[in-house]
Amino acid sequence: MTEQLNSFAGMSKRDFLQKLGMIGGSAALYTAMQGLDMVHASAQDKPPVLANAGNGKKVTILGAGLGGLVTALELSKKGYDCQILEARDHVGGRCQSARKGKVITEVGGETQVCGFEHNQYLNIGPWRIPAEHRAVIHYCRELDVALEPMINKAVHAYYYSENIDGPLKGKRIRQVEVDVDRAGNVQELLAKAANSGALDDHFNTEDKERLLEYLASTALLDRNELTYRANRGRGHKMGAYPGTALDAGELSEPIELGELLKVKIGTRWKTADHPAVMYQAKDGMDQIPFAMRDALNPGQVVYNAEVINIQQNDENVVITVKDMNSGEISKVTSEYVISTIPFSVLSSIENNFSEEIQDALKSATSSPAYKIGLQFTRRFWEEDDMIYGGSSYSDIDGHYETSYPSSNLFGKQGDVMLANYKYGRGSVELSNMTIAERIEHTLACGEKLHPGNFRKHYNGQAISKAWHKDRFALGGASSFRSNRQRRKNVPTVVKGEKRVIFSGGGISPYHSAWMTGAIEGAWHMISEFDKRVAQV
């Protein structure tokens, strides 16, 4: 401990906070900043006002995901003749929910048919809406899409580590226990650093007193000794919650710091747009694109229409379309084209775009994503483990997150659980498994989180989705990942060329995997389109 305290000596306040963040993570940094009064609390909330009337000009929109649907909605209001060409047999793009009858065929994979009972579902695409995403909420309000709370963090859910040594290896630990123990130990370290005089040269007396006052007020430290100990924030031992009369219960004992530091799960603080309570569309996220579709005129969306060639000139754009059912080839000529096709997919479609545009589109990176949902006959995670919503996390090979349903809480007909979600690294290996292997892997992981329950209450119905094996998505998101790529390519694709505009989530590289990325990207590009029309 002495070496740790001495490491803080001889530093400015800024350097102290920086080093503390490196050692204790953002939780420790935030704690210190709160005590020093250094913490104080973008999104577009409505579509742009367009200056020009459409006057019946024909606009062909490529893709009926959220970006394409929003583009058609807003331009139709201004009098444009909008038609959407969609390769799938439904709207929504990546915004999909799997319910009974849903068919999923991945590139090079088996065909799955969803068999979930009781009208239950799994959001296989977007599954969370933070309050910051006001663009999504705008359309939910405008189109009467009911939203309900989505519990993103449940303190009774588990962290599970098996790639460590010591007594915590292969042991389920409640998140509240780990989270509070980490915070309490860091607070004790801060208090000892302050009281030892290690910070005196760089914190004035007032700063030091305010910091110590804050640490004493958190109820995690003994107010006199300022040492971390069992506390009500951490909670009581299982089966020892306070009862009647003089039964005060028994507090649970903290994990020894040395063992706690071995656990790497749950160390990273979620970004501010991943709070404990988020929102979801009632009855499935696909209700959002369905409502957008219903707000359009019948026939505005043409399904099973795969775009295979785009040729443009100064006067119009000619799109070659293949009917996914009949194989028939046809051509569509339009005054303007707005493409919301993911950049990684669009770059492989034959076109006569400039070399600059083609290079920019090919520079977009696709992120693999994998989800699998299992249906259970009993809500054992609620009844046995007191987990209502939220997610458990582990370092099990091939597993990251198990998310418990926030809908139908306390229900008597079980539910569908997002039993494993992997984004980026590791998701490719999972998607290369057969469907039977995916299910078995998920059951084996689940048994470690919920021994004796996962296999017992699984009813045999499952659905999985590997987004990088969806030929019309090729990933959970497609955009520019590095700042260098963004600076180089975003201005190019935003500029578009001639009578073609590029839109969709790729225009919003900082949230391209979110629904708001597609919507705000569409808003930005219809504003650019409005300027383009005025110049023609």
Side-chain angles (χ1 to χ4, degrees):
M1 179 67 75
T2 301
E3 292 181 1
Q4 289 174 307
L5 296 180
N6 288 340
S7 70
F8 288 106
M11 278 184 272
S12 67
K13 187 185 298 184
R14 175 180 295 180
D15 289 340
F16 162 75
L17 292 171
Q18 184 178 35
K19 186 162 187 177
L20 179 63
M22 294 171 63
I23 295 174
S26 55
L29 182 61
Y30 194 80
T31 295
M33 293 174 71
Q34 281 183 306
L36 296 170
D37 273 355
M38 295 176 66
V39 176
H40 309 285
S42 81
Q44 303 176 61
D45 61 357
K46 55 182 173 296
V49 176
L50 304 181
N52 299 286
N55 296 322
K57 293 184 179 70
K58 185 174 182 180
V59 179
T60 300
I61 299 160
L62 308 184
L66 296 182
L69 292 166
V70 164
T71 300
L73 280 171
E74 299 305 331
L75 292 185
S76 294
K77 294 175 184 176
K78 293 295 292 185
Y80 289 94
D81 177 13
C82 296
Q83 183 182 65
I84 303 177
L85 301 180
E86 170 56 50
R88 298 182 175 92
D89 61 3
H90 59 272
V91 299
R94 287 170 293 136
C95 189
Q96 299 180 31
S97 303
R99 51 178 58 80
K100 193 167 188 175
K102 173 76 172 180
V103 178
I104 295 178
T105 302
E106 297 169 353
V107 174
E110 307 165 67
T111 294
Q112 304 171 73
V113 181
C114 185
F116 294 150
E117 301 293 340
H118 312 302
N119 296 315
Q120 294 171 4
Y121 64 90
L122 176 73
N123 289 319
I124 57 175
W127 52 306
R128 299 176 284 196
I129 306 172
E132 287 90 338
H133 292 184
R134 295 183 290 174
V136 180
I137 295 172
H138 165 81
Y139 284 108
C140 291
R141 284 175 169 154
E142 182 175 280
L143 302 174
D144 294 324
V145 178
L147 297 179
E148 62 184 1
M150 185 274 181
I151 303 171
N152 194 48
K153 169 80 171 178
V155 297
H156 290 108
Y158 295 112
Y159 296 135
Y160 177 93
S161 297
E162 61 182 22
N163 296 311
I164 60 174
D165 55 21
L168 300 182
K169 178 182 177 67
K171 180 181 179 181
R172 303 181 302 167
I173 317 172
R174 300 280 190 180
Q175 291 179 18
V176 63
E177 298 171 353
V178 176
D179 295 346
V180 173
D181 283 354
R182 283 172 172 158
N185 278 290
V186 168
Q187 288 185 18
E188 179 179 336
L189 175 63
L190 278 173
K192 288 182 176 179
N195 278 328
S196 72
L199 309 180
D200 287 356
D201 290 342
H202 306 284
F203 282 83
N204 61 38
T205 301
E206 183 180 0
D207 280 343
K208 175 180 174 180
E209 290 177 353
R210 289 162 63 198
L211 178 59
L212 290 173
E213 180 183 359
Y214 165 73
L215 294 173
S217 72
T218 66
L220 298 187
L221 305 184
D222 179 278
R223 292 191 68 91
N224 296 319
E225 301 296 327
L226 291 181
T227 54
Y228 180 58
R229 79 287 193 258
N231 59 87
R232 294 185 68 182
R234 190 183 198 279
H236 295 78
K237 290 183 177 180
M238 201 65 177
Y241 194 74
T244 58
L246 299 179
D247 180 7
E250 185 177 358
L251 294 172
S252 59
E253 288 299 322
I255 300 168
E256 195 275 320
L257 179 59
E259 298 302 325
L260 182 68
L261 293 175
K262 297 176 183 178
V263 178
K264 307 301 181 184
I265 306 299
T267 57
R268 184 184 181 92
W269 275 49
K270 297 286 189 181
T271 56
D273 50 7
H274 289 78
V277 177
M278 301 175 73
Y279 307 97
Q280 63 185 16
K282 189 174 182 180
D283 299 323
M285 286 296 205
D286 59 358
Q287 301 305 306
I288 299 174
F290 289 170
M292 293 178 176
R293 171 202 63 195
D294 294 344
L296 295 172
N297 295 324
Q300 274 192 267
V301 182
V302 179
Y303 299 103
N304 301 303
E306 180 185 9
V307 175
I308 60 174
N309 195 313
I310 305 170
Q311 298 293 315
Q312 59 168 336
N313 56 51
D314 292 331
E315 303 300 324
N316 55 43
V317 186
V318 179
I319 308 141
T320 304
V321 180
K322 178 182 178 180
D323 188 297
M324 294 289 292
N325 293 327
S326 68
E328 181 181 346
I329 304 297
S330 61
K331 294 183 183 295
V332 175
T333 301
S334 188
E335 294 178 72
Y336 299 96
V337 163
I338 299 178
S339 173
T340 67
I341 298 173
F343 293 163
S344 51
V345 177
L346 181 61
S347 63
S348 65
I349 295 173
E350 189 175 348
N351 63 73
N352 69 340
F353 301 152
S354 67
E355 185 176 341
E356 182 184 30
I357 288 288
Q358 293 188 47
D359 288 344
L361 295 176
K362 290 176 181 177
S363 297
T365 302
S366 290
S367 301
Y370 168 90
K371 283 186 174 184
I372 183 167
L374 306 184
Q375 189 172 43
F376 297 95
T377 58
R378 176 172 168 261
R379 302 175 78 93
F380 54 83
W381 55 93
E382 294 179 357
E383 297 175 30
D384 298 348
D385 297 304
M386 299 187 300
I387 300 173
Y388 296 90
S391 298
S392 289
Y393 300 88
S394 85
D395 65 358
I396 302 169
D397 186 36
H399 178 270
Y400 171 63
E401 179 175 7
T402 290
S403 180
Y404 308 96
S406 295
S407 56
N408 304 315
L409 297 177
F410 306 98
K412 297 181 179 180
Q413 294 181 316
D415 216 322
V416 175
M417 180 192 298
L418 175 54
N420 192 12
Y421 171 52
K422 287 279 285 182
Y423 192 86
R425 187 174 63 182
S427 57
V428 175
E429 290 80 0
L430 291 168
S431 69
N432 287 338
M433 296 179 177
T434 66
I435 301 305
E437 289 170 340
R438 294 181 187 182
I439 294 172
E440 175 54 34
H441 174 268
T442 306
L443 289 170
C445 294
E447 276 295 305
K448 294 180 179 181
L449 292 173
H450 298 278
N453 274 327
F454 241 70
R455 293 186 187 276
K456 179 179 179 181
H457 298 292
Y458 170 53
N459 74 349
Q461 297 298 327
I463 199 75
S464 58
K465 178 72 175 181
W467 279 101
H468 51 286
K469 287 193 169 187
D470 184 313
R471 61 177 294 203
F472 300 121
L474 296 182
S478 176
S479 190
F480 308 103
R481 296 298 168 205
S482 70
N483 285 328
R484 183 182 68 82
Q485 288 287 352
R486 290 165 184 161
R487 289 192 297 267
K488 177 182 178 182
N489 296 304
V490 170
T492 298
V493 293
V494 167
K495 181 175 59 178
E497 62 179 22
K498 297 180 180 177
R499 290 176 176 262
V500 177
I501 293 284
F502 303 101
S503 186
I507 296 296
S508 308
Y510 293 99
H511 44 224
S512 60
W514 292 95
M515 291 187 291
T516 199
I519 295 175
E520 292 184 41
W523 285 355
H524 183 83
M525 294 316 296
I526 61 175
S527 180
E528 292 295 315
F529 172 75
D530 192 45
K531 299 173 188 175
R532 180 78 56 87
V533 169
Q535 295 170 357
V536 174

